[in-house]
Amino acid sequence: MDVDEFSQQIAELRSRVRGIWRRTATQPNSQQELMIAAFDELQVALEELLTTSEELELTRARAEIERQRYKGLFDFAPDGYLVTNTVGKILEANYAAATMLSVRQKYLVGKPLILFIAQQDRQIFSSLINNSQQIEDCVIDLKPRLGTSFPASIRTSPVYDSQEKLVGWRWLLRNISETKKAEEQVAKRTVELAKANQQLLSEITEHKRAKSQLMHLAFHDILTGLPNRALFINRLEDAVNYSQRHSDYLFAVLFLDLDRFKVINDSLGHTFGDQLLLTVAQRLQECLRSTDIAARLGGDEFIILLVGIRDVFEVVAVVERIQKNLARTVVLDGHEVSTTASIGIALSITGCKQPEDYLRDADIAMYRAKAQGRACYEIFNTDMHIQAMAHLQLVNELRRAIELQEFRVYYQPIVSLSHGRITGFEALVRWLHPKHGIVLPEYFMSTAQETGLIILIEQWLLHEACSQIQQWRKQFSSTCGDLAECPLTINVNLCTTRFSQENLLPHINKVLQDTGLPAPNLTLEITEGVIMENHDKAIIRVKQLRNLGIKLAIDDFGTGYSSLGRLHHFPINQLKIDRSFVSGSIFDDGNLDIVQTIITLAHKLGVDVTAEGVETEEQVAMLRKLSCEYGQGYFFSYPLDSSQATALIMTNPKW
């Protein structure tokens, strides 16, 4: 019966009682009134009982939920849990405990826990259940129903009823077999380590000696024994910190680069080069005080720290002493050798915060000194840093320009002076800068050569130029009669670095194959310096290039070496007279004699001549009179982009 039905029956009963009371209302009856009052009290009591019953049901429901949750935690806990009475009879057991003791949960309930305690530990168990206090981490051996005994960590806690009477025990069981095994392994390993320790003690002395040697190697140059960069930076950092605390303390950093060391090293060999470096290291130390330090960076570069100096004149005196000492002749295997150094100086008065900044500034000053010639020195100033930063910015912009393909090819016609017609073009690189527009090579080419970026630029230039000239050959071979008789050629400059590269020949061959340009239509221009710096190797490389079928020209001839007497060793096709002998008045300053001599000797060697820098009709007439084959310059045309050059070819001009 639910609450609503029970209330309805009470209401009906009350109505019937009140009806009886109304029928007998004329006959007073105290007993009847008492019954009605009693019944009302009964109704109130029943309603309160129902309310209490409802609350009790809610409480029981919540208790059941908690019980189920507790039971879930109890049953599925990873460790074994048991509840026993005061004498050790098992009242509850979870799944982990049953598994640990190799029995089913139902089997455990009602069994004495002592049945699963190893014989030797039952006395400990008895003491546990007779103690009313919680015991932490007692270890005893458990004996499962099936299997062998195993060590377990036991933790007990008493269970009390509402009157604080002890009614049982809770047990937490944890198998520590693996832990015991690990402890045994640790003990065994400890014994082994004790034995090894004795051996280790005997090796400590050797280890310390080796460590000391390694520390020396870590901070000293192997060849010269001088401090290396790491030790030098440490000493320099100390000087920087001290100068920041004492304003009157001055120091200087010297950066030395030996002059012509590569020539000596290459000509006499690396063994003699090492001997020279040893001599340089010794002579540097002879010039310094005990408080100063000289270090070797690597190669032929040395750095010096002068501390506690009075002024810049003292630094200059040390530099001059170093130069004088280095210039003394040294005999290496019968060869008398002397050297000098380019020296850059960075003074502490510049106020740099980091030691590396002084090294950088001295390096910048050294490069400025080297640019002035041998045995020079320079003191760093802020203008040098500005120039160095501008140089770095240019290098970064060049890298970006290569990546974004900002370079363009311009073409300057090469004209046959006997026919007055275009026979080919020289490919000239231009930089289409996003901010500055067209930038000429003289503003970036030296930096590109210094950084090696010139190789990527020239590789791109060669492919673009060959592709364009082949396109013109196909386009105009049938429409321009002169081109059919004398197909267009393209001249491309080759720098020193590119000339000596191992992959030069395969790359040129691939470009010719990819573009379809016949090899005889390509002329590579190299300077006198390229072939004269390494004569024998240059002859081999020139012959390899000629074997590909391409032609070779010596560019800017007459400005470098006096090499006419050696030209017969090189299978070249053409000499290009430098513009300095042609532009302006060809009759001035003996230029005419020089031009005439070059042309005469070239013809005797069977080599054609191209005059650069042709600007006037007078120059053209004189060159024709001297039987110069080709001319190139502003008189014929300025360098043109591909579309302008195409338009020029279509007009088929004649000069």
Side-chain angles (χ1 to χ4, degrees):
M1 178 183 297
D2 59 23
V3 175
D4 292 338
E5 292 176 348
F6 189 82
S7 298
Q8 185 178 0
Q9 289 186 5
I10 293 296
E12 290 177 356
L13 180 60
R14 184 176 183 181
S15 177
R16 287 173 57 191
V17 170
R18 288 188 180 276
I20 296 173
W21 179 79
R22 282 195 296 270
R23 287 195 298 270
T24 60
T26 56
Q27 302 176 1
N29 189 335
S30 58
Q31 184 177 6
Q32 183 181 29
E33 292 176 356
L34 289 173
M35 290 178 61
I36 292 172
F39 189 78
D40 287 340
E41 289 293 330
L42 177 61
Q43 182 182 12
V44 172
L46 287 174
E47 289 175 350
E48 292 177 350
L49 181 60
L50 286 173
T51 300
T52 302
S53 177
E54 291 174 357
E55 294 175 352
L56 182 59
E57 285 298 321
L58 290 174
T59 301
R60 286 177 177 173
R62 286 194 293 268
E64 179 61 22
I65 292 173
E66 290 299 321
R67 191 188 73 82
Q68 291 295 335
R69 182 160 54 186
Y70 166 77
K71 188 175 184 305
L73 293 173
F74 182 78
D75 286 342
F76 296 104
D79 295 323
Y81 285 98
L82 298 173
V83 177
T84 69
N85 60 14
T86 56
V87 296
K89 180 179 179 181
I90 299 174
L91 304 178
E92 292 183 66
N94 70 348
Y95 178 77
T99 303
M100 191 180 299
L101 299 175
S102 302
V103 294
R104 299 177 63 181
Q105 283 178 270
K106 292 182 179 181
Y107 177 83
L108 271 179
V109 176
K111 300 295 187 296
L113 178 56
I114 197 170
L115 292 178
F116 301 97
I117 305 296
Q119 188 68 38
Q120 69 273 14
D121 290 334
R122 289 185 177 181
Q123 185 63 38
I124 298 175
F125 171 76
S126 298
S127 66
L128 289 176
I129 63 174
N130 291 323
N131 191 334
S132 60
Q133 299 298 321
Q134 179 174 342
I135 299 177
E136 297 288 342
D137 297 331
C138 175
V139 177
I140 63 176
D141 283 356
L142 294 180
K143 178 66 174 70
R145 184 182 180 189
L146 299 175
T148 58
S149 301
F150 60 87
S153 172
I154 305 295
R155 179 177 296 184
T156 64
S157 61
V159 179
Y160 301 99
D161 62 9
S162 58
Q163 282 77 37
E164 297 298 321
K165 179 182 178 183
L166 181 67
V167 294
W169 298 93
R170 298 186 189 91
W171 304 80
L172 170 62
L173 312 178
R174 182 171 297 158
N175 189 336
I176 60 171
S177 299
E178 295 300 323
T179 304
K180 294 287 285 185
K181 290 180 181 178
E183 290 175 352
E184 292 172 358
Q185 288 284 47
V186 169
K188 180 181 178 182
R189 183 60 178 157
T190 301
V191 174
E192 294 174 352
L193 288 175
K195 294 179 180 179
N197 185 55
Q198 187 62 36
Q199 181 179 357
L200 181 62
L201 290 174
S202 64
E203 296 175 355
I204 287 179
T205 303
E206 177 63 22
H207 173 73
K208 287 182 177 180
R209 188 196 64 78
K211 181 180 179 180
S212 176
Q213 184 178 5
L214 287 174
M215 287 294 292
H216 181 83
L217 293 175
F219 291 102
H220 290 80
D221 177 57
I222 297 176
L223 174 64
T224 63
L226 290 178
N228 61 11
R229 178 191 177 98
L231 181 54
F232 184 87
I233 290 294
N234 287 341
R235 288 285 304 275
L236 179 56
E237 186 175 13
D238 292 340
V240 172
N241 293 336
Y242 190 82
S243 67
Q244 290 174 351
R245 297 191 303 270
H246 302 82
S247 58
D248 59 341
Y249 180 79
L250 300 177
F251 65 87
V253 175
L254 278 55
F255 197 114
L256 288 78
D257 184 90
L258 300 183
D259 299 322
R260 298 180 64 252
F261 176 76
K262 185 177 185 302
V263 176
I264 298 173
N265 203 39
D266 291 345
S267 58
L268 298 181
H270 293 283
T271 300
F272 299 106
D274 289 346
Q275 293 179 13
L276 178 59
L277 291 174
L278 280 168
T279 302
V280 169
Q282 294 169 1
R283 291 182 176 180
L284 287 178
Q285 290 177 301
E286 293 170 0
C287 299
L288 304 179
R289 302 164 299 177
S290 59
T291 54
D292 302 325
I293 179 175
R296 183 184 178 217
L297 278 181
D300 60 340
E301 293 181 335
F302 296 84
I303 44 180
I304 293 174
L305 174 63
L306 304 177
V307 297
I309 59 175
R310 295 187 300 273
D311 49 41
V312 67
F313 300 106
E314 184 177 355
V315 178
V316 171
V318 174
V319 169
E320 291 176 348
R321 188 161 62 247
I322 289 173
Q323 293 287 24
K324 183 178 179 180
N325 215 16
L326 293 181
R328 288 162 36 206
T329 302
V330 57
V331 179
L332 300 177
D333 194 34
H335 299 278
E336 291 188 353
V337 177
S338 63
T339 185
T340 55
S342 298
I343 304 176
I345 304 169
L347 301 173
S348 58
I349 57 176
T350 57
C352 294
K353 303 299 182 182
Q354 301 297 327
E356 290 80 2
D357 294 339
Y358 287 100
L359 210 59
R360 175 203 64 200
D361 294 347
D363 187 27
I364 292 173
M366 183 276 293
Y367 274 103
R368 179 65 64 88
K370 187 171 284 291
Q372 295 182 8
R374 293 162 48 183
C376 293
Y377 68 87
E378 276 286 342
I379 300 175
F380 175 82
N381 57 54
T382 54
D383 290 339
M384 293 182 185
H385 180 67
I386 293 172
Q387 293 172 7
M389 293 302 294
H391 175 76
L392 179 60
Q393 181 180 357
L394 177 58
V395 172
N396 292 333
E397 289 183 348
L398 280 173
R399 295 185 190 280
R400 185 209 63 214
I402 293 172
E403 182 180 351
L404 300 181
Q405 297 184 350
E406 293 177 353
F407 292 101
R408 300 292 182 269
V409 182
Y410 274 59
Y411 301 88
Q412 187 170 36
I414 298 175
V415 177
S416 168
L417 296 180
S418 60
H419 298 92
R421 300 288 189 183
I422 297 174
T423 61
F425 292 87
E426 180 179 357
L428 303 171
V429 67
R430 299 290 186 267
W431 180 6
L432 184 58
H433 196 282
K435 292 183 179 180
H436 308 302
I438 293 295
V439 179
L440 298 178
E442 50 261 36
Y443 293 103
F444 64 85
M445 192 57 71
S446 61
T447 301
Q449 291 176 344
E450 176 187 332
T451 58
L453 296 174
I454 187 64
I455 295 175
L456 297 175
I457 296 174
E458 286 194 355
Q459 286 177 340
W460 170 84
L461 177 67
L462 179 64
H463 187 278
E464 289 293 313
C466 290
S467 177
Q468 181 63 72
I469 205 71
Q470 177 63 1
Q471 179 181 335
W472 284 334
R473 290 180 68 253
K474 292 181 179 179
Q475 182 177 354
F476 298 113
S477 59
S478 59
T479 57
C480 297
D482 293 316
L483 293 183
E485 297 175 4
C486 184
L488 287 174
T489 61
I490 187 70
N491 286 33
V492 179
N493 287 279
L494 201 63
C495 70
T496 304
T497 306
R498 188 85 177 101
F499 181 78
S500 58
Q501 270 200 315
E502 292 298 326
N503 67 343
L504 175 63
L505 298 175
H507 180 259
I508 293 175
N509 200 38
K510 186 175 187 305
V511 169
L512 294 175
Q513 291 178 357
D514 292 345
T515 61
L517 181 69
N521 290 77
L522 171 62
T523 299
L524 294 180
E525 297 186 7
I526 54 180
T527 63
E528 293 179 73
V530 170
I531 61 175
M532 294 302 167
E533 285 179 3
N534 197 338
H535 184 268
D536 296 333
K537 292 182 179 179
I539 291 176
I540 296 174
R541 177 50 56 91
V542 168
K543 289 181 178 179
Q544 290 172 337
L545 291 170
R546 286 300 308 273
N547 289 338
L548 291 179
I550 63 177
K551 297 179 180 179
L552 294 172
I554 296 182
D555 193 20
D556 301 332
F557 189 80
T559 60
Y561 297 79
S562 300
S563 53
L564 281 172
R566 304 172 67 183
L567 284 179
H568 66 279
H569 294 295
F570 296 92
I572 60 173
N573 305 90
Q574 188 178 129
L575 290 180
K576 298 190 74 175
I577 302 176
D578 186 73
R579 64 180 63 251
S580 61
F581 301 112
V582 178
S583 60
S585 175
I586 198 171
F587 303 103
D588 291 346
D589 301 325
N591 285 345
L592 179 60
D593 293 335
I594 295 175
V595 172
Q596 184 175 9
T597 300
I598 293 174
I599 294 174
T600 300
L601 292 178
H603 288 169
K604 288 184 178 181
L605 294 173
V607 175
D608 292 337
V609 179
T610 299
E612 296 182 301
V614 180
E615 298 175 346
T616 66
E617 189 171 352
E618 179 189 29
Q619 293 168 357
V620 173
M622 180 55 67
L623 290 170
R624 282 173 172 161
K625 183 177 179 181
L626 296 175
S627 300
C628 180
E629 284 80 10
Y630 303 100
Q632 179 182 347
Y634 294 162
F635 177 77
F636 305 108
S637 173
Y638 285 84
L640 308 169
D641 62 27
S642 58
S643 60
Q644 293 170 332
T646 301
L648 180 65
I649 296 173
M650 293 179 65
T651 61
N652 195 18
K654 183 175 182 180
W655 291 273

